[in-house]
Amino acid sequence: MQLFVYGTLLKGMERESILNGSQYIGPAMFQAQLFDLGDYPGIKVGKGVVVGELYEIDQVTLDALDRLEGYRPFGEKDSLYLRREVEIQRMDGVNVQASCYFYNHGVKNQNLIVNGDYRRFRLEQEATDQWILAYGADISTDFLIKRIGEVKASKRGYIDGFKLTFQVVGKQKAYYAANIFYVGSREKCPAVAYLLTWDQAVALDRRRGIPDNYLRLSMPFRDQYDHTSIVQAYIVRPEKLVIGIEKVRLVIVIIVLKPVSYTHLTLPTNREV
């Protein structure tokens, strides 16, 4: 069965090891609202987008997750979370059925995570400057500087499992847009990361058409020293895709969200910048 995760089970988070033996299908999204509950998040039915990851899991893993999430199939009233089957949208636009855990108690509106991305929320609470993914024309440092000004630092590396393509975006007024999508663990998409200020990141958001055309998502990034951190990357909204046209693999640029260790979000060494 497929499982959609959105919190501490995500890659790079505290409980990722529980899914080590499960097949990673790729990033995905789901219509709901995401809330910060302190040590972990929870989702509730509502208008919004929650970003997470999709896995294929077995019964043993499902039973372990039920215990972890406090889900009692025969006593749902007393459960911390409720497991439900919902429709999840992969980033290639395909909709699939998957299980997902919903928080079973009340939440406060002020704890809403507006961007729907728990890893990004955690990183941005610690970060002032941002490392954020860019690609296409922004691969040129000079071109990027003309758009947003001088950048503080950069580093090379790649994104596991992703490939760069050009795809047709828009149902009425279509145009070609650079995009990355998950194709499997054997693929490695070359990348360069730039350290930007918050204002520079917002300027890139505007150029990418956030949130109407693109989403800015968190994902793992492996640098030239083989150190993995969690980054942010621009991906075309699945509902905006018309068709996919694959081109020759190109180098892309990443703007990662502050150098943060892949394990439990601790800070890495200075060699990254």
Side-chain angles (χ1 to χ4, degrees):
M1 67 175 294
Q2 294 191 7
L3 175 75
F4 176 77
V5 301
Y6 56 86
T8 57
L9 292 168
L10 293 166
K11 291 179 180 295
M13 303 302 287
E14 291 86 350
R15 295 187 174 96
E16 63 165 335
S17 61
I18 296 175
L19 295 172
N20 280 350
S22 301
Q23 179 187 356
Y24 176 60
I25 298 174
M29 56 190 286
F30 168 57
Q31 183 174 320
Q33 290 184 314
L34 180 66
F35 293 88
D36 174 31
L37 304 177
D39 294 331
Y40 47 82
I43 62 173
K44 303 286 284 186
V45 174
K47 293 183 179 180
V49 173
V50 176
V51 176
E53 296 171 341
L54 203 58
Y55 287 84
E56 183 73 33
I57 65 171
D58 57 23
Q59 187 63 46
V60 173
T61 302
L62 180 64
D63 292 341
L65 289 171
D66 281 350
R67 292 191 295 270
L68 174 68
E69 305 291 357
Y71 174 56
R72 302 175 181 177
F74 303 105
E76 289 194 341
K77 183 179 179 181
D78 298 321
S79 296
L80 181 62
Y81 285 82
L82 301 176
R83 174 162 48 85
R84 295 290 184 261
E85 194 83 2
V86 295
E87 187 174 82
I88 302 295
Q89 188 172 41
R90 299 188 329 213
M91 291 305 168
D92 59 3
V94 175
N95 294 328
V96 298
Q97 293 295 311
S99 291
C100 182
Y101 291 96
F102 288 76
Y103 189 56
N104 194 31
H105 298 282
V107 294
K108 296 180 180 180
N109 289 334
Q110 61 264 35
N111 293 332
L112 176 68
I113 299 175
V114 178
N115 61 38
D117 187 334
Y118 184 63
R119 282 184 306 207
R120 177 178 168 182
F121 168 76
R122 288 272 299 271
L123 293 171
E124 289 181 342
Q125 286 209 315
E126 300 177 5
T128 301
D129 294 337
Q130 309 288 321
W131 293 93
I132 304 175
L133 186 155
Y135 47 85
D138 293 334
I139 186 65
S140 166
T141 303
D142 291 339
F143 189 80
L144 188 64
I145 289 174
K146 288 179 181 179
R147 283 185 163 188
I148 60 174
E150 292 289 338
V151 297
K152 294 185 175 182
S154 65
K155 56 183 177 181
R156 297 182 180 275
Y158 57 87
I159 311 172
D160 281 322
F162 282 84
K163 180 176 287 188
L164 176 64
T165 66
F166 287 87
Q167 295 176 294
V168 179
V169 178
K171 303 297 183 181
Q172 298 177 347
K173 188 177 180 180
Y175 63 95
Y176 285 103
N179 192 28
I180 55 172
F181 68 103
Y182 187 79
V183 295
S185 58
R186 294 183 179 180
E187 191 70 29
K188 295 182 185 297
C189 186
V192 180
Y194 290 105
L195 180 62
L196 306 183
T197 66
W198 177 265
D199 288 339
Q200 288 174 322
V202 171
L204 274 184
D205 283 353
R206 288 196 296 267
R207 289 185 174 274
R208 289 292 181 185
I210 298 290
D212 295 331
N213 296 324
Y214 279 80
L215 295 169
R216 176 148 52 101
L217 313 181
S218 62
M219 63 176 61
F221 166 71
R222 192 181 301 273
D223 68 18
Q224 60 187 324
Y225 302 107
D226 205 34
H227 175 270
T228 304
S229 57
I230 300 300
V231 313
Q232 289 187 35
Y234 292 101
I235 296 182
V236 175
R237 293 184 69 100
E239 67 272 20
K240 294 291 185 177
L241 295 176
V242 179
I243 59 174
I245 300 178
E246 188 170 321
K247 298 289 186 181
V248 177
R249 186 191 308 177
L250 302 174
V251 176
I252 72 170
V253 182
I254 299 186
I255 306 164
V256 194
L257 189 97
K258 186 182 182 181
V260 178
S261 171
Y262 185 54
T263 304
H264 303 165
L265 302 179
T266 56
L267 294 176
T269 61
N270 291 333
R271 68 179 181 182
E272 293 191 59
V273 295

